[in-house]
Amino acid sequence: MKQKHLYIGAASLSLLACSQQPNPALTPEDIAAQLDVHYEVVSNFDNTCESNRGDCFDARLSLTLPFDYRDAKWEIYFSHPKTIISESSEHFDITHINGDLHRLVPTSDYSGFNPGQPNVIGFQAIGQSVTKNDVMPNFIFKHDNSEALVIDSTKEVFDPQTGLWELPHVAPFSKEQQWRRTKNDNVPLASASWLYHHYASLHVEKESDLTRVIPAMRSTQWSDERLIVEQGLSFDAELTDTAAAYLIAAGLKLTKAGVTVIRKHQDMAPESYAINISDSDITLSAGDDAGWFYALQSLALLFDKKTASLPVGSAKDTPRYPFRGVHVDVARNFHDKAFLLRLIEQMGMLKLNKLHLHLAEDEAWRLAIPGLPELTEIGGYRCLDLQDKTCLLPQLGAGPDPESQVNGFFTVEDYKSVLQAAASRHIEVIPSLDMPGHSRAAIQAMEARYERLMQQEQPEAAMQYMLIDLEDTTQYSSIQHYNDNTINPCIDSSYRFIGKVLGEIKKMHDDAGVPLTRYHIGADETAGAWVESPQCQRLMQKEKIDSAQQLTAYFIHRVTKIVNDMGVMAGAWSDGLSHVEPLKLGSKIQANLWGLLPSQGHTLAHEMANYGWDAVLSLPDVLYFDFPYMTHPEEIGFYWGSRYTSTYQVFQFMPDNLPAHAALFVDHMGHDYDTTDTVPMNPDSSFAGIQAQLWSESLRHETQAEYMLFPRLVAVAERAWHKANWALPYQPGEAYTARGNQFSEQRKAAQLKDWQAFLYVLTHKIIPRLEADEVFYRLPPAGAVIDNKTLWLNAPWSTLHMEYTLDKGATWQRYQGPVNIDQDADEIGVRTYTTLSDRRSKTLWLPVTNDPKH
């Protein structure tokens, strides 16, 4: 029997005397349009957790109608990523269905709605909830057999001033127990006053450097002279349309009457280049087409529009890492071809060269595979079909409409056009279809195929690509609370499916003229799966495998061989690879390393680099861009690995010395931590590169995805290409602590100067290019303090304007200097804006107190 809390809303108790006679005049449309749903987190601590899984938080839902309503033949479906384990109302039941989908229904004690009186349902869920981002939109109302409808009050609302989407059904997180995860949470709230001091701490006087580019070049020698190129540039070698477009976007003209640009071939390392600018011409040297392309990107950023000039001197440049990547999850929420093409355009400018496309997940399959139509016909869409016959479950707040923006897939032609656009910018696309875990979409699609062919009396064809053992009775729950999302590694049909999919993807690449060179298998597992599978029990006996947990390694070995036999390098996440025997895989493997640094994540990273694998740093601490920019309940992003990841934090990253971050960073609870390099890097070992990750559970719009990528991705490009002179050099076996002062004041000063130089190029060169390409980047909010009744504002970028409101947003005034606060106001709102697009940042509210300084 389900356990109940003692908390029951008074309004709910008042309904006990009401009758349950339905009102026939009301339609389901009336209810969906006028039911007010209000979600509030009560506390993340000071409670008794009823789960044996650890910590919990208390929250409540309030349901209010403006009219009398007694009908009980209805249910509400809603997404809640933190599984609800109990609720306190005698009038409503909440049950977990699968994944994040929950159902709320009236109980036999339900007595209806009184006009304007809320039904309050207290509940407890696993984990913590400290931001609005944790709450999903699009609660679904369904009456009996009527059409499923989104409840209007739970729909996202677009803010035209910020360009962001809001969740009006979520209450503010104003109390400490709401925005802090535990009593031990030491991460400060990014209030307006905290930001003011933070911005001030990062500011140093730095003159603009017109010879700085992003990413910074390895060595330069510039004079004070400038070459005027007002007449444009004249190239002695033909430019591709793609390359020419970057120069034109930077403001350069391409004319025969312009300054001569000579292309020179030299024996240089891959992707390397040199620039020599004299007082009469320009020579660009490179050993390959990629180096030539990157030389043009640097030339474009060296161009100063105001003076129509370039610096006279020379530069030599070569990348720090061969792998400079971006991972984009288009599976959980779909991001279309136009989004990818915009991203590819910016990657080319930033010298990023790997695009890891996460194309399949539990929630969806996003790439059409010829011969397997169910993968996208069913797996590409979500709606309210609890049997997954026509679409998948409406996870992640998808709602019931299969035509909404979170749904869709790439056709074969879409995918080929993405490949070609990437190749023209020297970017390799790495497709990924996660397995054996995170595979519910594929499993459900192949079950639908099975049923179709069985109805056609084709049992052999029906079983051809089956992904589960039909006799498996194992009960398990994945990290995202699915009980049916893991491909069975013990049946041949699973590998036939993988071979079929890989063969079709390879053909797409070949047809596009862009050969497939890497494929990421994922290699995620689901703890507890396959234990009761008869097929697995037989395989384990045959192969002398001791436990079901070892089947992940068996799966990885077998799939890696399939991939390698196609002449393709396989990639996988480090947690899956940690189960395998390295010598069985050889060196032709890409390992994405995602251990947390405070949890000694450098140890596994060093181990896998020492194997000789292509070890790619993908650390959540600085490279997961589904985490918030700052600690604030209004910010988008999850926070399990880092409470915030600012652009500055990414800029600080020292990828060649992972243990050393204990001298700079704190853990996800805001506490200092210590590291010891117990597994040193071999002298001949190195990382292949770094990759930024964009997971999309809560990113339902393209603008949200771009907001999370930019400008942080610009800092990734800097660190992937250029090694800063302020970084701590790697010392094998060294231990680090925040208390050791190992990152000296001199290094800190050098870092801040470099940061300001980086910011100048970011704000004066990169941001205008993002605007021109209609890329939606994040505007940082303003910092503010009140000192002796005087309002002071600051911003992290010199190009931003600031404004404030004293009347709760009714009117706004531009900030031009300290403001005397001589009128009554409970709080002052502050924000930044850019004249490039007249867009505003989020507003932060500064309380007005009687203290002389706040």
Side-chain angles (χ1 to χ4, degrees), residues 239-247 293 296-297 345 420-421 424-425:
L239 285 177
T240 64
D241 290 343
T242 299
Y246 281 101
L247 297 172
F293 179 78
L296 295 175
Q297 301 308 315
E345 182 78 5
Q420 290 165 342
S424 70
R425 294 158 177 83

Side-chain angles (χ1 to χ4, degrees), residues 363 472 663 774:
E363 292 82 10
D472 188 359
E774 298 182 345

Side-chain angles (χ1 to χ4, degrees), residues 755-775:
W755 168 246
Q756 291 299 324
F758 171 88
L759 271 187
Y760 181 85
V761 184
L762 170 68
T763 56
H764 287 79
K765 298 288 185 71
I766 304 296
I767 293 297
R769 293 280 289 274
L770 296 179
E771 286 279 2
D773 290 338
E774 298 182 345
V775 173

Side-chain angles (χ1 to χ4, degrees), residues 280-457:
S280 60
D281 59 27
I282 301 167
T283 300
L284 304 180
S285 304
D288 58 12
D289 289 340
W292 165 247
F293 179 78
Y294 295 145
L296 295 175
Q297 301 308 315
S298 291
L299 191 69
L301 287 172
L302 285 169
F303 176 64
D304 179 44
K305 273 187 179 182
K306 291 182 180 179
T307 59
S309 67
L310 291 162
V312 172
S314 62
K316 291 183 178 180
D317 203 11
T318 192
R320 177 184 199 171
Y321 296 121
F323 192 111
R324 306 178 302 280
V326 185
H327 164 283
V328 180
D329 172 10
V330 296
R332 289 188 171 102
N333 283 308
F334 187 54
H335 302 302
D336 62 17
K337 183 175 75 170
F339 166 84
L340 291 181
L341 293 179
R342 287 194 303 275
L343 174 58
I344 287 168
E345 182 78 5
Q346 310 316 313
M347 289 177 65
M349 174 179 63
L350 296 170
K351 304 184 180 76
L352 296 166
N353 66 350
K354 309 290 183 187
L355 176 58
H356 179 168
L357 282 184
H358 192 78
L359 292 161
E361 254 294 343
D362 292 324
E363 292 82 10
W365 182 285
R366 302 299 188 186
L367 179 61
I369 301 297
L372 299 176
E374 286 87 355
L375 284 172
T376 46
E377 289 176 358
I378 295 173
Y381 298 93
R382 299 201 287 270
C383 67
L384 189 62
D385 180 353
L386 299 182
Q387 304 303 316
D388 300 293
K389 302 297 184 185
T390 59
C391 62
L392 299 179
L393 295 175
Q395 306 285 349
L396 303 174
D401 182 8
E403 300 303 316
S404 74
Q405 78 281 353
V406 304
N407 292 307
F409 62 91
F410 298 109
T411 66
V412 171
E413 293 306 313
D414 287 338
Y415 185 67
K416 289 194 293 188
S417 66
V418 168
L419 293 178
Q420 290 165 342
S424 70
R425 294 158 177 83
H426 303 278
I427 297 167
E428 177 187 2
V429 174
I430 305 171
S432 173
L433 302 161
D434 213 350
M435 53 185 70
H438 295 270
S439 296
R440 187 175 189 274
I443 291 168
Q444 294 301 317
M446 290 303 95
E447 286 197 53
R449 179 183 182 275
Y450 168 83
E451 292 180 7
R452 172 174 63 83
L453 292 172
M454 288 297 288
Q455 289 173 3
Q456 297 173 8
E457 299 182 353

Side-chain angles (χ1 to χ4, degrees), residues 610-717:
N610 287 342
Y611 293 152
W613 293 347
D614 264 18
V616 179
L617 297 173
S618 308
L619 309 178
D621 311 76
V622 290
L623 296 170
Y624 268 42
F625 289 175
D626 56 320
F627 291 172
Y629 280 88
M630 66 183 195
T631 307
H632 197 281
E634 297 285 341
E635 278 289 313
I636 308 171
F638 291 157
Y639 42 83
W640 58 265
S642 174
R643 187 61 185 87
Y644 68 93
T645 302
S646 67
T647 305
Y648 176 59
Q649 187 170 344
V650 179
F651 180 84
Q652 289 181 294
F653 186 38
M654 299 178 291
D656 288 338
N657 192 351
L658 300 182
H661 292 89
L664 284 178
F665 293 173
V666 294
D667 66 18
H668 76 294
M669 284 291 183
H671 300 282
D672 294 338
Y673 68 95
D674 300 336
T675 57
T676 302
D677 187 19
T678 56
V679 181
M681 291 272 280
N682 293 336
D684 58 348
S685 296
S686 62
F687 297 119
I690 66 178
Q691 176 177 277
Q693 278 64 231
L694 183 73
W695 301 101
S696 69
E697 287 97 323
S698 61
L699 307 179
R700 292 170 290 275
H701 304 274
E702 319 297 16
T703 51
Q704 290 175 323
E706 290 178 340
Y707 177 99
M708 300 302 275
L709 280 171
F710 295 100
R712 290 188 287 201
L713 191 59
V714 184
V716 170

Side-chain angles (χ1 to χ4, degrees), residues 217 219-223 225 227 229 233 235 259-264 266 268 273-286 292 295-296 298-299 302 310-317:
M217 291 184 280
S219 64
T220 60
Q221 289 184 324
W222 303 112
S223 69
E225 297 179 58
L227 172 64
V229 291
L233 303 178
F235 285 81
V259 172
T260 301
V261 181
I262 303 166
R263 177 175 181 175
K264 187 176 180 180
Q266 286 188 343
M268 303 176 76
Y273 66 91
I275 298 176
N276 190 287
I277 304 175
S278 73
D279 57 5
S280 60
D281 59 27
I282 301 167
T283 300
L284 304 180
S285 304
W292 165 247
L296 295 175
S298 291
L299 191 69
L302 285 169
L310 291 162
V312 172
S314 62
K316 291 183 178 180
D317 203 11

Side-chain angles (χ1 to χ4, degrees), residues 721-787:
W721 183 278
H722 179 71
K723 183 174 182 177
N725 59 11
W726 44 259
L728 280 169
Y730 176 66
Q731 299 290 335
E734 186 77 9
Y736 292 90
T737 173
R739 300 173 297 280
N741 297 317
Q742 289 153 303
F743 198 81
S744 66
E745 290 300 320
Q746 291 84 355
R747 287 187 187 276
K748 180 70 172 177
Q751 184 192 75
L752 287 177
K753 284 186 177 181
D754 192 24
W755 168 246
Q756 291 299 324
F758 171 88
L759 271 187
Y760 181 85
V761 184
L762 170 68
T763 56
H764 287 79
K765 298 288 185 71
I766 304 296
I767 293 297
R769 293 280 289 274
L770 296 179
E771 286 279 2
D773 290 338
E774 298 182 345
V775 173
F776 191 89
Y777 59 92
R778 178 182 184 264
L779 284 179
V785 293
I786 299 173
D787 185 358

